[in-house]
Amino acid sequence: MFRFIARRLLFAVLVIVAVQVIVFAITHALGSPARLMLPATASAEQVALLDSQLGYDRPWWEQLVELLLGSIVGDFGTSYWQNVPAGGVVFSRLPATLALVGLSMALAIAVSVPLGVLAAMRRGTTWDKTIVTISLVGVSMPAFWIGYLLIILFSVQLGWLPTSGYGTPAHYVLPVITLAALPIGRLTQIVRSSMLGEVGQQYMLVGSSLGLKPVTRIYKHALKNASIPILTMTGWEISRLISGFTVLVEVVFSWPGIGQLAVQAIEHRDVPLLVASVTVVAGLIVVLNLLLDVAYSLLDPRIRTAPTARRTSKEKEPA
Amino acid sequence: MSGNILEVRSLATSFATARGPVLAVRDVSFDIGVGEIVGLVGESGSGKTATAQSVMQLLPSHATVTGSIQFGGRDLAALDRQQLRGVRGREISMIFQDPMTSLNPVLTIGTQFLDVLRAHGTVTRAAARSRGVELLGLVGIPEPALRMQQYPHQMSGGMRQRALIALALANEPRLLIADEPTTALDVTVQAGILRLLVELRDRIGMSILLVTHDLGVVSETCDRVLVMYGGRLVEAGIVRSVLRAPRHPYTAALLSSSIPVDVARSERLVTIDSSADDLHNPFVGCAFNPPCSAEEHTHD
Amino acid sequence: MMSALTARISRQKQPKPTWRPPGASTIGQKLAAGFLLLVVFVAIFAQQIAPHDPNGQSLARRLQPPIWEGGTLEFILGTDELGRDVLTRIMYGAQTSISIGIVVVLITMVVGTTLGIIAGYVRGRFDTVLMWICDVVLSLPGLLLSAVLVFVLGASATTVIIALSIEGWLVYCRMARGMVLTVRSTAYIDATRTIGTPPIRVLVRHVLPNIAPPIVTLATLEFARVVLAEAALSFLGFGIQPPLVSWGLMINSGGDYLTIAWWLITLPGLVLTITVLSANVVSDWLRQLTDPLAQAVSAR
């Protein structure tokens, strides 16, 4: 099991390095980042000046190494726009995003698992068809649209909830629901199909023949097995979704998180801040995936305990 | 008092498929006495597994079962889901062909025992554990206490099958239905399992319905044998007499097609010139009709 | 005896099968396909059928509501903050979004599938490296990186296509490679190698027909995703720029008028959602049609 985790850890590190390399490459692709940061009308001297101020005139490998090493300790240089260390700004925004993502995922799991199980157990019935339709709609709606719709309905028309901002629990409601929508749709589909996969398995028939209680069979036996493919499929997909959708939701609701920061950084042409926020977002994805990998390895005893060495059946076996 | 633990009359099972209903079991009737081991023999597609599963009402929802299945004074075919659950694992148990997939891979053997015992009564964890250890010992698994903590993938095929038998016995059923329990196992392991089954019958007086395609197994372990072909029961009787003097041409053909040890290399092997009936178009009359070589014969 | 039994069974209520014959489609699927065709039609002929000029501004008639809220027939879905007709802009938006979607899907499908097939055939280091790249890149925050790329290259339809293509080919690669590996290991491919069939022929005759259905199914799914991604980029301001129209852009500018002109956000978003939903439904339908396993399952 530890070898498995170690491999996943290595992969995680690789991803973070890759993100930084890619962003670095993109921002240096058409010349120095300074050119990007200054308005188009800036003269060549101004660009060169900024370049040397920010260290962009050094050889590229030197810059890259500094970037990579610096990111380990959270040093991303200084934000051009806000004139404070970029790392500090990013990390100050982290809690808001974590809260949003954490609550959304919790909501998604709480809703999807029962729905998915229900759909699988009542396969082919109206329940199943309704739930499948709901999940299809869930994955088709753009997050920003859902957000606005909810705002129009609940804030503007009904006046129940604030339109944007951050602070009170009421501010959390709409953003969390919006962000959870697509994961609910996708996760329900995954839970349903995983459960369907388990229901046909031989051990379920055996459990039936032994007269096990239905609740035991569904939740203890089938779901525990189904949770393995659920986790493996979820981690990959959902964490990608989270990165994209969180940005959109934060923009719609003016949520002071990293996603919104990244967008603002791009708008303000603040390369150091942009690099910092994109890297941290990637880091979030990677950490989320790692946690899911750990959960998956804990759940599947075949990974946790290696099978006893294959003995020849003639020897140890009681014949 | 008939001394029969199971009395099946006119059992018929059909499956709904895309091409219409398939009649897998046609008008099958048989008895199983207390403490008897009855073999149910047939080739693939003969309907033997369907018969076995019909008794326990374990078939999927697109199957229809008709007929009467008298067990312990009740007709199993007339019970509802709740009542059936009470019977399964408690008065009738079943073991299946493939031990590799029959156990839940993510739960320990101990947990699976707990579930089985709790399904039919209240037990404490400690009581369940000791009962499990006792049962594993009964089926001949060494170091049973250790095995209780293990997962299925840590055990070999033969051991898993024994564990499954132990689970099936946990609530002391009166009838055990064994559907090809040794087909997926090594020959050496097979012998052990079969010996265990006979031992169980001797020790605790349990009846066994042993479904198999292997006449050798039948002759070794069974008291009576039922022969199925094309969904029908074509012969029934005490093992010795059936094997010595089969009345139905199919049984005779089965017997003669088993390869004797001393067959000379140049002799041609006897084959049965038939194929499993197309059960979509059930043949009225003798299921063995076209290849039937006897002029006239009677059968049940 | 037999006919009486058959009669009894056929009179017995047959269990209602929960299958649909493979190939039959539900009304939802037909609607979805129809809607997609409609959208594509509109996208192609927007210039001809749109009632107005998408960029025709007139401050006099800004923020008119749709017809059912008091608007006029001339601007049936209302007008935006600059007096432009919403219906026209939705139509032109379709043109942009659909064409970008199709272009990206075509590019990524061809590139990804080719690379995947090569990887599956050649194996070795190329394959390992390619899969590592796929794994890593698929774990990256796609939307943000696309935004950065578009920002650096300058926002336009072309750069959006480039950005979306760069991350889009990976899924095809994975799938194509997986399928090649599966097909390769089948016995009949080994047979062709034994006979000496040239690899190209194996590829065309055997591999491609097997790969094509799932790839096409994946392509429809990807189409849905790309349309959403373009809308997201345009919404954030890193996508389509005026004078071109995109649904995402419309929702963006509509955001400022959310309290007074709900139709500016709701209507384009609705069309976007239904388009994506239709693509998802059609993709599912294709999968049902082409996946033989799904066909067998649906016949139960």
Side-chain angles (χ1 to χ4, degrees), chain C residues 81-92:
Chain C
E81 71 278 10
L82 293 177
R84 298 173 293 194
D85 177 38
V86 170
L87 176 62
T88 306
R89 284 176 71 75
I90 288 182
M91 288 180 169
Y92 275 80

Side-chain angles (χ1 to χ4, degrees), chain A residues 211 220-221 225 308 313 317, chain B residues 85 104 115 120 154 156 186:
Chain A
K220 197 169 174 189
H221 286 239
N225 271 286
T308 48
S313 48
E317 244 202 70
Chain B
R85 194 179 73 69
N104 190 326
D115 288 338
H120 297 283
Q154 295 172 293
S156 65
D186 287 342

Side-chain angles (χ1 to χ4, degrees), chain A residues 201-214 216 220-222 224-225 228 299-308 310-311 313-314 316-319, chain B residues 53 56 58 85 88-89 94 96 101-107 111 115-116 118-120 140 142 147 151 153-154 156 158-159 162 164 167-168 186 188-189 192 195:
Chain A
Q201 294 289 326
Q202 181 74 345
Y203 72 82
M204 286 297 280
L205 182 62
V206 172
S208 213
S209 78
L210 290 171
L212 293 184
K213 295 188 254 201
T216 314
K220 197 169 174 189
H221 286 239
K224 193 154 186 230
N225 271 286
I228 295 172
L299 260 156
D300 188 346
R302 289 166 289 195
I303 293 190
R304 249 196 292 148
T305 62
T308 48
R310 292 270 123 209
R311 315 182 194 123
S313 48
K314 286 161 192 88
K316 292 290 192 77
E317 244 202 70
Chain B
Q53 292 196 353
M56 298 240 325
L58 269 183
R85 194 179 73 69
R88 294 190 198 134
M94 191 158 172
F96 298 81
T101 56
S102 293
L103 286 167
N104 190 326
V106 299
L107 298 175
T111 312
D115 288 338
V116 164
R118 283 222 170 128
H120 297 283
R147 299 294 171 189
Y151 291 92
H153 68 273
Q154 295 172 293
S156 65
M159 223 180 296
R162 288 174 189 262
L164 281 160
L167 281 169
D186 287 342
T188 47
V189 178
R195 217 177 309 139

Side-chain angles (χ1 to χ4, degrees), chain C residues 226-297:
Chain C
V226 169
V227 168
L228 264 183
E230 178 272 317
L233 278 178
S234 303
F235 168 74
L236 290 176
F238 304 117
I240 303 296
Q241 304 288 323
L244 280 182
V245 186
S246 154
W247 293 327
L249 203 52
M250 289 174 76
I251 297 180
N252 180 347
S253 36
D256 296 328
Y257 299 88
L258 135 75
T259 46
I260 48 180
W262 56 267
W263 57 92
L264 296 181
I265 294 179
T266 318
L267 298 177
L270 188 63
V271 178
L272 173 58
T273 303
I274 300 183
T275 306
V276 172
L277 179 61
S278 303
N280 275 320
V281 169
V282 168
S283 167
D284 207 42
W285 184 22
L286 283 177
R287 192 179 46 83
Q288 261 182 287
L289 283 180
T290 60
D291 179 5
L293 262 175
Q295 283 182 350
V297 167

Side-chain angles (χ1 to χ4, degrees), chain C residues 29-109:
Chain C
Q29 288 164 335
K30 296 203 181 97
L31 278 176
F35 187 82
L36 272 185
L37 286 174
L38 174 65
V39 170
V40 169
F41 176 78
V42 168
I44 299 177
F45 295 108
Q47 273 84 0
Q48 281 78 9
I49 55 178
H52 297 275
D53 171 14
N55 290 302
Q57 307 179 10
S58 160
L59 292 177
R61 48 166 204 264
R62 58 197 296 264
L63 297 178
Q64 278 183 9
I67 191 169
W68 60 86
E69 284 241 332
T72 64
L73 191 59
E74 198 191 348
F75 302 100
I76 198 166
L77 291 182
T79 61
D80 70 2
E81 71 278 10
L82 293 177
R84 298 173 293 194
D85 177 38
V86 170
L87 176 62
T88 306
R89 284 176 71 75
I90 288 182
M91 288 180 169
Y92 275 80
Q95 194 171 64
T96 317
S97 301
I98 300 294
S99 39
I100 291 186
I102 293 183
V103 169
V104 170
V105 164
L106 283 177
I107 295 177
T108 51
M109 182 167 75

Side-chain angles (χ1 to χ4, degrees), chain B residues 2-298:
Chain B
S2 56
N4 279 337
I5 199 171
L6 180 71
E7 289 181 8
V8 176
R9 295 283 174 269
S10 302
L11 182 69
T13 305
S14 73
F15 293 89
T17 69
R19 291 186 297 155
V22 172
L23 210 44
V25 179
R26 308 180 212 179
D27 196 19
V28 167
S29 305
F30 60 91
D31 298 333
I32 299 185
V34 176
E36 248 199 322
I37 301 185
V38 176
L40 183 54
V41 177
E43 57 189 36
S44 309
S46 58
K48 51 192 203 300
T49 297
T51 305
Q53 292 196 353
S54 297
V55 170
M56 298 240 325
Q57 308 282 313
L58 269 183
L59 293 165
S61 55
H62 64 282
T64 322
V65 178
T66 60
S68 90
I69 307 172
Q70 294 292 338
F71 180 84
R74 295 191 290 183
D75 185 357
L76 296 181
L79 296 182
D80 67 27
R81 272 245 202 101
Q82 264 289 61
Q83 295 165 316
L84 274 174
R85 194 179 73 69
V87 170
R88 294 190 198 134
R90 171 91 186 71
E91 304 189 47
I92 310 182
S93 280
M94 191 158 172
I95 56 177
F96 298 81
Q97 182 171 332
D98 186 6
M100 303 307 268
T101 56
S102 293
L103 286 167
N104 190 326
V106 299
L107 298 175
T108 60
I109 307 292
T111 312
Q112 306 199 38
F113 264 107
L114 187 66
D115 288 338
V116 164
L117 290 168
R118 283 222 170 128
H120 297 283
T122 43
V123 280
T124 63
R125 276 186 185 273
R129 202 178 324 133
S130 63
R131 179 101 178 100
V133 171
E134 181 194 329
L135 284 163
L136 288 179
L138 180 68
V139 297
I141 294 183
E143 298 179 295
L146 174 65
R147 299 294 171 189
M148 288 285 280
Q149 319 263 38
Q150 286 191 331
Y151 291 92
H153 68 273
Q154 295 172 293
M155 295 167 51
S156 65
M159 223 180 296
R160 290 191 220 190
Q161 191 64 303
R162 288 174 189 262
L164 281 160
I165 295 176
L167 281 169
L169 298 178
N171 290 297
E172 295 169 2
R174 291 186 283 157
L175 172 64
L176 178 69
I177 303 180
D179 188 356
E180 309 234 32
T182 55
T183 309
L185 300 170
D186 287 342
V187 177
T188 47
V189 178
Q190 268 189 33
I193 300 284
L194 291 172
R195 217 177 309 139
L196 170 65
L197 289 178
V198 176
E199 219 178 88
L200 286 170
R201 185 276 303 271
D202 294 340
R203 294 236 293 241
I204 58 185
M206 187 174 67
S207 308
I208 302 179
L209 175 63
L210 181 58
V211 179
T212 176
H213 61 271
D214 189 340
L215 275 177
V217 165
V218 168
S219 68
E220 292 276 321
T221 51
C222 302
D223 304 320
R224 285 194 305 125
V225 63
L226 311 165
V227 182
M228 278 189 81
Y229 179 78
R232 279 196 222 252
L233 205 51
V234 298
E235 181 137 18
I238 302 180
V239 170
R240 276 240 303 267
S241 14
V242 169
L243 291 187
R244 230 187 268 157
R247 290 198 297 158
H248 195 275
Y250 176 65
T251 321
L254 255 188
L255 280 166
S256 57
S257 64
S258 35
I259 305 170
V261 179
D262 56 352
V263 65
R265 286 220 170 242
S266 54
E267 271 182 46
R268 289 189 94 201
L269 298 174
V270 177
T271 56
I272 300 179
D273 181 23
S274 87
S275 50
D277 213 0
D278 179 359
L279 295 172
H280 283 285
N281 304 304
F283 223 57
V284 179
C286 171
F288 202 47
N289 198 306
C292 184
S293 48
E295 282 269 288
E296 187 179 309
H297 56 270
T298 52

